[in-house]
Each structure stands twice: as structure tokens, then as C-alpha cells.
Amino acid sequence: MDSAITFKTPYEKRLELVTQALMASSTLDNDVAHTAAVHVLHALDSIPEKTIR
């Protein structure tokens, strides 16, 4: 028996979450929502975070 184990990285999980959110709140299809989600996550990842001392 050969069972495949699928592993999603944290980025892939966030990408799926944002894609689903975009599709739920608009009329975007999956491909367009996925592309937009990539841009959204890139923008969010570019925001500098404050470090606590």
C-alpha cells in the first residue's frame, strides 16, 4: 500500500486561507483569487514589524 502524505507549509496554508476569503467576499474565480492572494501575502510580509526590547 502506498499512501501519500501531503504536507502544507505555513505559507501555503495562509495562501489558501486568503484565496478562500477573497472568493467568499467577491465574484473572483479561483485562479484570480489565488493570484490576488499571492500579492496580498507579499504586501503583508513586506510590512516591517516592531521588535520588543
Side-chain angles (χ1 to χ4, degrees):
M1 261 167 114
D2 193 19
S3 61
I5 297 174
T6 55
F7 174 77
K8 289 187 180 181
T9 65
Y11 175 79
E12 291 171 325
K13 291 176 184 178
R14 289 193 311 270
L15 186 60
E16 186 176 327
L17 180 66
V18 174
T19 300
Q20 294 300 321
L22 289 171
M23 289 174 53
S25 62
S26 69
T27 58
L28 299 175
D29 66 11
N30 189 52
D31 291 337
V32 175
H34 177 57
T35 301
V38 170
H39 292 289
V40 168
L41 288 178
H42 177 71
L44 289 174
D45 289 343
S46 299
I47 298 171
E49 295 184 23
K50 292 183 180 180
T51 54
I52 301 172
R53 285 185 144 199

